[in-house]
Amino acid sequence: MVARPQPLTVSDEHADSDQKNADHADPAHAGGLHHVELCVADLDAAVDFWGWLLTELDYETKNEWTNGRSWVRGPTYVVVKVAGDSDSPFQRESPGLDHLAFHAASREQVDELTAGVRRRDDASLLYEDRHPYAGGYYALYCESPDGIVVEVVGPDA
């Protein structure tokens, strides 16, 4: 039997917004990703990792509140917030999210991010023996502090 989802609640990020400041869809970006919300066990560790990565990918800080942060780039934003159940760690191969993939501006950016991941204590490079062609194309695969797999895909040569 499939468990019923819990009723949707408005996160702290949206609780104080009014209609004129709401994050409405832009028809020019129909079909594109609007936002992603990631639940994490350790907000400080997650903000350190995601803030670094997203800033490197030209995202800017959008909002900060007690239990979360968000970053925006164009019409898309990423939210990191404290998980309601931090006793259940992220399981990539369980039903749900497998990984997040971002476009890189260049192969050089993939290389710079790879070097940054290697310097970090809170992230790990995945598939190092096949890097940077683990997926059959030029990309970085790494894991966040909460075990969320991130892919940054470089352009064709």
Side-chain angles (χ1 to χ4, degrees):
M1 173 177 252
V2 177
R4 290 182 174 270
Q6 294 298 313
L8 183 64
T9 58
V10 176
S11 69
D12 291 344
E13 180 189 25
H14 302 293
D16 295 327
S17 67
D18 59 27
Q19 287 301 321
K20 45 183 193 184
N21 293 326
D23 293 311
H24 296 288
D26 179 350
H29 297 283
L33 188 63
H34 187 270
H35 71 276
V36 174
E37 294 195 19
L38 303 171
C39 295
V40 299
D42 182 337
L43 182 62
D44 291 335
V47 166
D48 187 50
F49 173 79
W50 288 102
W52 165 76
L53 178 67
L54 294 170
T55 299
E56 291 294 319
L57 294 171
D58 292 327
Y59 282 71
E60 297 177 357
T61 301
K62 180 178 187 292
N63 289 320
E64 297 182 20
W65 65 101
T66 304
N67 292 319
R69 303 289 183 279
S70 63
W71 297 265
V72 63
R73 183 171 190 260
T76 304
Y77 63 96
V78 177
V79 175
V80 173
K81 63 183 183 179
V82 176
D85 177 9
S86 58
D87 292 333
S88 300
F90 177 76
Q91 295 292 323
R92 179 177 163 223
E93 295 185 3
S94 294
L97 179 74
D98 180 85
H99 69 281
L100 286 177
F102 295 90
H103 292 273
S106 64
R107 288 182 172 205
E108 291 77 22
Q109 186 178 34
V110 171
D111 296 340
E112 291 166 7
L113 290 170
T114 300
V117 167
R118 286 184 171 132
R119 286 190 299 270
R120 298 184 68 85
D121 293 331
D122 61 352
S124 57
L125 186 64
L126 300 175
Y127 319 118
E128 183 137 19
D129 60 325
R130 295 178 284 163
H131 176 76
Y133 292 99
Y137 45 84
Y138 207 90
L140 159 67
Y141 291 88
C142 67
E143 193 171 65
S144 78
D146 280 285
I148 297 170
V149 175
V150 178
E151 178 180 0
V152 181
V153 182
D156 195 15

